[in-house]
Amino acid sequence: MDLYSELTAKYQTVPAIATEIINLEAILNLPKPTEAFMSDIHGEYNAFQHVLRNGSGNVKSKIRSCFRDEMTEATCSASLFWCTIRLSEWRRFIGRWRRMTCNSGI
C-alpha cells in the first residue's frame, strides 16, 4: 500500500490530510527531552539517585516556567528542595518537625 492510499483511507478530505501533516511536523519540531548519560556508577548510589530525582535541572526550570509570576527565587528554591528530597531526609525532617511542634504546644 502506498502513502497516498494510506492517507486517503484514514482521512477523507485534503484539508484533513493537510492538518495531520502540519500536526506531525509540529510534533517533530518540539524540543527534545534532556538525556542523561552516566557511567561508572558502582558505589555511587546517592549521587545517582540525586541525578534521577533532580531530572538534570529540568525540575527547577519547570517550576520556574509554571510559577514565573507567583514565586520568588527563594520560594522556587524551597519548592525544588521539597520536590527532590530523598525519602529518608523527608522522614528525618518530619520527625524533627513533630518533636518541635509537640514540645512547643502547637
Side-chain angles (χ1 to χ4, degrees):
M1 188 183 258
D2 64 339
L3 181 60
Y4 179 77
S5 300
E6 288 183 37
L7 287 173
T8 55
K10 192 170 182 180
Y11 305 99
Q12 282 68 39
T13 65
V14 172
I17 294 172
T19 300
E20 182 62 17
I21 291 171
I22 291 168
N23 285 337
L24 292 173
E25 286 179 348
I27 290 169
L28 288 174
N29 290 321
L30 288 173
K32 304 300 181 253
T34 300
E35 295 181 11
F37 296 94
M38 292 170 269
S39 64
D40 199 21
I41 59 172
H42 300 287
E44 295 295 331
Y45 177 79
N46 289 335
F48 179 69
Q49 286 296 313
H50 176 74
V51 170
L52 290 180
R53 277 191 315 280
N54 194 15
S56 301
N58 287 330
V59 176
K60 188 172 193 173
S61 64
K62 191 65 170 177
I63 290 172
R64 281 189 174 142
S65 68
C66 288
F67 301 102
R68 173 181 23 249
D69 300 327
E70 300 170 34
M71 285 189 181
T72 64
E73 185 60 31
T75 307
C76 177
S77 294
S79 299
L80 177 66
F81 171 77
W82 291 115
C83 289
T84 60
I85 189 172
R86 284 194 290 262
L87 185 58
S88 60
E89 292 174 12
W90 176 262
R91 288 181 177 145
R92 195 174 12 177
F93 174 82
I94 293 299
R96 284 196 318 249
W97 178 80
R98 284 183 181 153
R99 284 191 298 279
M100 288 172 33
T101 55
C102 290
N103 292 339
S104 66
I106 295 177

